[in-house]
Amino acid sequence: MLRWCNSDIRSRTLAISLGPALLLTLLLTVYLTYTRLQDLGKELTQTGQLIANQLAPAAEYGVISGNGAILDGLLRASLNTPNVRFIEVRDPEQRTLAYVERPHSVSDTRVEVFRAPILRQQIKLDTSFLLSPPQVQAGDIEEEIGQVVVGMSDEAFRARQKQILLRAAGLIVAALILTLLLAYRLARSLSQPIREMGKAVEAIQAGNYHTKLPVSDSSEIGDLARHINHLATGLEQAQAEQQRSIDQLVAAREDAEKANRAKSDFLAMMSHELRTPMNGVLGMLQLLETTEQSSEQTEYTALATESTEHLLKVINDILDFSRIERGSLELENIPFRADELIASSVQVFRPSAQQRGLQLLNDTQPGLENLEVRGDPTRLRQILVNLIGNALKFTEEGQVSVTTRWQLLDQQQMLWLTIAVQDTGIGIAPERLQHMFDAFEQADTSTSRRYGGTGLGLSIARTLAERMGGGLHAESNVGHGSTFTLELPLPWRYRQEGEQALLPDELEPGGGHTVLLVEDNPVNQTVIEAILRSLGFNVLLAGNARQALQALAEQHFSAILMDCQLPDLDGLSATRQIRRSDGPNRYAPIIALTANALQGDREACLAAGMNDYLAKPFKRSDLRAILQRWVQNRP
């Protein structure tokens, strides 16, 4: 059964064709041969009996007269009949009166004996006998005067039997050969087209749609071949259309990538061109705040600083959104104090809240000050600043509260941090709440005109939260305020005894360290130099990389502040030369001060050999903190 299931169609066709034909031929041949042999046996029996019956009347006279010569002649005349082996005439006492036999050489020939009685006939020899032979009456009893015995040989019967069997075998062989030829041709007519169809399907499956099958007739095989040809033609057309679509998609992708590269180049250029003058503006305003001013001047300076920081936030939001779109936003994983970060984020907005007559509350669950967590403090601060800033912006009276709760997860070194920023502002309609985290979305069109903003802050905040493994969701009622809840999982450990972080206001001054400032922009030169001197550092100024390399070869510096875009030799190449040199500043800390703030700029600076990175525009406290890390804490 298994071999039958695994056989091909030609073998099955041959088996189906030959099996019934062979069986039918055998049955018919056996039946016809048996019938013919039976008829041959009857013919032999009838012939022998007929000879005996014909000889009996003829031998009457010879028996009555006792004339042996007459009997012998009569018997020999009949001996020439085919298949007669011997003839014998006997008297009533079974004595042989005459006997003739045909010579034979076959010893195993079987002889069948036939007998006929010799009767004495009572005949009156008159005229009526001649005209009308007498009829034997039922009551007449004829006298048996002898017996004729005829022996018939079956030699001819066997020869005929053998001939019949040979003819039957020949007929069977001829029938089988003819059936085999017909079945083979039938099987070939079925298997060859099917085999060609299989090869054509394999070729089509391999992608060769030019394969065509010959259509020889209009039978089912021909219809199937036509359908396969139509399928190949359809697939070829579909492949051509698909290839055209792929080419169009590739071209569209290349155009999109080209547009994206153009957008990235534009953002990089705009970032540099905007941040460079903004660094001068913000730096000058920070320096102006350190001078003696009247109350009116102080107010003007604060407003200018606030406007500059707002413009800087818009630029940062656009750059962050661009990073998120490209999927190139990366997060840090460094230890920090969550309680201090939250407190400092709230503290930044206290002057603004007091100026507007709003209460800004900070409620932190006790015990957080004893823990140190790991994550990206810059991005966490960015989320909190965005949420607190939005709460204050959309609240005209009442309060804004920042509530912090935390929980240690069992069997995991993770802390689940929950920060809820709740306000009593204008609120958000339920149908608009779900869209608030979409880019460029605000509560309504009048909001942006009244309160300002790009609509990117919440979208960026939620993306950052999700990238850090947490989430950001909101609840709100129109006229009753909103609550934005930030949830983050953070790795943690207990703080060691004696650890105390320095806040920016607690940093020590420069202590007479000399810093090399490499900057080509005159405004930035003035601003950064003034900030450095206000921090207690001695400053040597270099307007390009060549001047910087010359100064570095002559004098040791505690730190090098390097702009990345310089007129003759860029800051990255200059850093590589410093690291390869044997001068006194080969291992000096190099800090990048650049307006390039796109993804990859920081990595490029670090890969060139720089120690840290500070994007323009920066605050005085940011510069002070980074110098504290690399100058005053060096061994």
Side-chain angles (χ1 to χ4, degrees), residues 271-284 287 517-532 539 541-542 561 563 565-566 593-595 615-618 623:
S271 172
H272 184 271
E273 295 301 321
L274 289 174
R275 286 174 177 274
T276 298
M278 282 188 62
N279 185 64
V281 174
L282 187 59
M284 285 298 182
L287 291 175
L517 173 61
V518 187
E519 173 64 58
D520 64 322
N521 186 276
V523 176
N524 286 334
Q525 289 177 354
T526 303
V527 172
I528 299 174
E529 182 179 7
I531 293 176
L532 289 172
V539 183
L541 182 63
L561 302 182
D563 187 15
Q565 293 191 356
L566 297 171
L593 295 182
T594 177
K616 300 175 184 176
F618 52 82
L623 182 59

Side-chain angles (χ1 to χ4, degrees), residues 80-91:
N80 294 328
T81 305
N83 302 326
V84 176
R85 179 68 175 276
F86 68 87
I87 303 175
E88 183 182 7
V89 179
R90 298 176 182 176
D91 59 10

